[in-house]
Amino acid sequence: TAEEAASWFFEYCSRERTRINRDRGNPARLELRREKGSKMNEKIFATIKKMPILLNKREFVIKHIWRRNNKESFSVAVTPITKRVDYGGNMGRTVTGTTKAIF
């Protein structure tokens, strides 16, 4: 259903997706704590993606927003944000990556 598809995408750090990310050798995939005043339909994630040899890893810090348009229609938007993330260790050299999407 549309709701299941939107919820799968919105749950960026589910066990299944985190395991797949780890199997691919990506060093980090985190859901950040909610900020005061944030809404229940918003989540912030940080991820670092491994790149091919000779390229630096890419760091993505993104906000997901879920919206019910009507009884049978849902939207998920993804937008980059500027936020410093503590990964708990040295992630080496990274380049800031950006991504935007509307589903």
Side-chain angles (χ1 to χ4, degrees):
T1 67
E3 185 174 14
E4 289 171 332
S7 66
W8 182 87
F9 195 83
F10 190 70
E11 289 299 327
Y12 189 76
C13 287
S14 68
R15 288 181 182 164
E16 174 189 9
R17 293 177 77 180
T18 300
R19 180 187 48 77
I20 291 167
N21 192 63
R22 198 171 296 133
D23 291 347
R24 291 182 179 164
N26 296 317
R29 186 181 193 108
L30 308 170
E31 181 175 340
L32 304 180
R33 289 182 186 225
R34 292 187 189 278
E35 298 174 348
K36 285 187 177 181
S38 70
K39 299 177 182 176
M40 290 300 294
N41 66 329
E42 298 177 0
K43 290 186 177 185
I44 297 175
F45 302 100
T47 186
I48 296 181
K49 300 281 187 179
K50 183 179 78 171
M51 300 302 288
I53 195 163
L54 300 178
L55 295 176
N56 292 329
K57 293 175 260 185
R58 301 295 191 259
E59 177 187 33
F60 296 88
V61 182
I62 52 179
K63 178 188 277 192
H64 284 197
I65 303 169
W66 165 297
R67 177 180 164 192
R68 178 187 292 266
N69 300 320
N70 58 45
K71 193 173 184 179
E72 298 175 358
S73 175
F74 301 88
S75 296
V76 176
V78 180
T79 185
I81 62 169
T82 304
K83 185 173 181 80
R84 188 163 173 80
V85 178
D86 179 4
Y87 292 99
N90 185 3
M91 292 293 149
R93 282 187 137 168
T94 61
V95 174
T96 301
T98 61
T99 188
K100 295 179 185 179
I102 297 178
F103 299 98

